[in-house]
Amino acid sequence: MDVKATDKKYVMGTYNRFDLLIVAGEGCYCFDEKGKRYTDLTSGIGVNSLGYCDRQWADAVAAQARTLNHTSNLFYTEPCVKLAEKLCTRTGASKVFFANSGAEANEGAIKVARKYSFDKYGKGRDTVITLKNSFHGRTITTLAATGQDVFHNYFFPFTQGFRYVESGDMEALKREADDSVCAVMIEFVQGEGGVIAQDMEYVKALRKFCDERDILLIADEVQTGIGRTGTLLASESYGIVPDITTLAKGLGGGLPVGAVLVYGKAENVMGFSSHGSTFGGNPVVCAGALEVLRRIDDAFLDDVKRKGVFVREKLKGAKGIAEVSGLGLMVGIKLTDKNAKDVIAKGIERGVLMLSAKDRIRLLPPLTITEKQLGEALDVLLEILAE
Ligand SMILES: *Cc1c(COP(=O)(O)O)cnc(C)c1O
């Protein structure tokens, strides 16, 4: 079968795919139809946290698929409950709602924030402030939440009730935070926006301000969560606790999952019939996520931190690199003159897969990659940049 041509014919043309057909994967490597090997520094956009087809993860998923594949949320299942308990005990959250993607998790978080405010203050306190250059998803509401004009096109009317302020500008936020505001939503490291980490003082000031005004702080950790930045949640590195945290990408280890974690005062906002999902908390997905969480212990996280430092030391001062941004194994590389897209294309030719974010190279390697594997792949990148 001519996969590429058939894809173009039958799959809606929303993706500008790289010219590469992946047929199998193992650890940090994947293979095309000719058997050529690639070191994958994208992990399916931060999803394959344990790499491709991790043996124990695949065993857990397969065993669950043979035992109980799906029930809907009309019934209790153990994997869902175990995952909820694990997530809450590991993060300090009180409760969780399971969705199927990052956008859906963010939709859930916005619902929680608006209902919290409605229950307490009544109608009209429903605005969510988000940051310029943010990315929160592709549904009509999460596009509206995304603070980039390029996403606010074609699909009018967008959901009302979003305002955007510049990252790091506490005064601008205070100006916008009138009595109609119920929540502020942030990414600790803006992923799609160019791998830009928030300033520590700003985040602390934001937490304090939201507390004073009873505005809920929503942390979109869809990309930063589940070990990516060297702590289980990026909020830990920033030393704050949000009111709501959303997770997705890396949580399932390769299966679609989203989660809305609520803390403290947000814990009992959502009651019977306020939200739901047919697939949410699916047993197979939860069995995979449980294996991901089981593996990401303190030693694993220390290793991620070490590898994050290793990447930065390796790239520091290299030819063609203007700046390295991000946190842990979420890496942004600003180039001095080369175009990120060209560098990525050359990487594919030489067997290394990389992402872009705005005009930067973005690396989201599987968290299990070894320093040696990482070093070899970065040597290829450095070689391309030096040409
Ligand atoms: C990827 C991403 C989303 C959207 O997740 P989907 O699973 O594609 O819906 C939302 N927020 C952030 C920060 C993301 O990186």
Side-chain angles (χ1 to χ4, degrees):
M1 171 188 220
D2 186 340
V3 174
K4 290 173 192 173
T6 314
D7 180 296
K8 285 197 172 64
K9 180 156 187 230
Y10 291 109
V11 179
M12 224 186 262
T14 61
Y15 303 108
N16 185 15
R17 299 194 205 279
F18 292 116
D19 186 26
L20 173 61
L21 166 64
I22 300 178
V23 297
E26 189 183 351
C28 69
Y29 302 117
C30 62
F31 303 88
D32 68 14
E33 76 281 19
K34 296 184 200 93
K36 181 176 166 188
R37 191 182 83 172
Y38 302 82
T39 305
D40 187 349
L41 304 183
T42 79
S43 51
I45 320 187
V47 166
N48 297 336
S49 30
L50 304 179
Y52 285 103
C53 307
D54 175 84
R55 201 44 192 269
Q56 286 161 300
W57 176 87
D59 284 348
V61 166
Q64 186 57 48
R66 284 191 214 99
T67 309
L68 184 71
N69 56 333
H70 179 76
T71 62
S72 89
N73 281 300
L74 299 174
F75 308 98
Y76 294 99
T77 63
E78 193 168 294
C80 165
V81 175
K82 275 190 175 162
L83 180 61
E85 182 185 36
K86 256 285 160 325
L87 276 173
C88 289
T89 52
R90 294 278 303 267
T91 63
S94 312
K95 284 191 165 67
V96 58
F97 176 86
F98 289 117
N100 312 288
S101 67
E104 262 188 69
N106 286 337
E107 292 260 351
I110 292 161
K111 282 180 76 171
V112 174
R114 285 188 169 170
K115 185 161 185 299
Y116 172 83
S117 205
F118 180 87
D119 289 348
K120 209 160 160 182
Y121 302 98
K123 272 190 180 161
R125 195 175 180 275
D126 48 31
T127 300
V128 178
I129 294 180
T130 67
L131 301 183
K132 291 188 181 158
N133 203 41
S134 58
F135 180 78
H136 297 298
R138 295 280 194 162
T139 62
I140 297 278
T141 295
T142 55
L143 280 174
T146 292
Q148 302 186 47
D149 290 339
V150 291
F151 287 99
H152 303 157
N153 261 314
Y154 322 123
F155 313 111
F156 306 102
F158 287 94
T159 307
Q160 299 291 296
F162 292 92
R163 272 182 218 165
Y164 319 100
V165 301
E166 209 68 59
S167 277
D169 188 344
M170 217 35 232
E171 291 315 308
L173 190 126
K174 283 179 181 169
R175 274 198 303 278
E176 290 296 331
D178 59 23
D179 290 343
S180 75
V181 172
C182 66
V184 175
M185 178 151 78
I186 64 164
E187 296 156 272
F188 291 107
V189 183
Q190 292 187 330
E192 305 303 315
V195 200
I196 314 289
Q198 300 292 347
D199 178 67
M200 179 82 80
E201 292 314 308
Y202 172 68
V203 170
K204 292 221 155 86
L206 183 57
R207 174 67 284 185
K208 188 162 167 282
F209 176 74
C210 288
D211 278 336
E212 285 162 9
R213 296 281 301 275
D214 199 18
I215 290 171
L216 296 190
L217 182 57
I218 305 172
D220 177 349
E221 293 227 37
V222 167
Q223 194 161 150
T224 56
I226 311 299
R228 174 57 55 189
T229 66
T231 45
L232 188 64
L233 299 182
S235 55
E236 295 167 42
S237 326
Y238 279 85
I240 66 128
V241 179
D243 300 296
I244 308 173
T245 294
T246 57
L247 298 169
K249 292 192 166 92
L251 174 59
L255 288 173
V257 61
V260 186
L261 302 177
V262 289
Y263 298 77
K265 63 188 178 185
E267 73 179 311
N268 290 317
V269 170
M270 300 297 266
F272 172 60
S273 95
S274 60
H275 202 27
S277 165
T278 301
F279 286 114
N282 168 280
V284 177
V285 169
C286 289
L290 272 166
E291 179 59 21
V292 170
L293 283 182
R294 190 184 72 77
R295 297 276 284 284
I296 302 185
D297 58 11
D298 287 343
F300 186 105
L301 291 168
D302 285 344
D303 187 47
V304 171
K305 278 192 205 110
R306 264 195 302 277
K307 286 180 289 201
V309 172
F310 170 76
V311 171
R312 285 162 180 80
E313 276 171 1
K314 180 115 188 147
L315 298 179
K316 199 157 88 190
K319 186 156 180 263
I321 295 181
E323 187 199 341
V324 180
S325 61
L327 198 63
L329 283 181
M330 191 168 175
V331 182
I333 305 167
K334 188 172 173 192
L335 305 175
T336 49
D337 50 356
K338 286 203 167 59
N339 178 289
K341 295 265 160 25
D342 297 340
V343 172
I344 291 170
K346 284 215 173 102
I348 295 175
E349 280 169 26
R350 294 177 208 190
V352 175
L353 306 186
M354 294 171 280
L355 296 160
S356 64
K358 290 279 172 68
D359 57 353
R360 294 182 188 215
I361 299 273
R362 175 172 45 149
L363 307 180
L364 298 172
L367 305 179
T368 48
I369 194 169
T370 66
E371 205 169 280
K372 183 163 175 287
Q373 292 166 330
L374 205 45
E376 285 166 3
L378 292 176
D379 282 336
V380 173
L381 171 62
L382 291 175
E383 182 188 293
I384 294 168
L385 292 179
E387 283 165 5

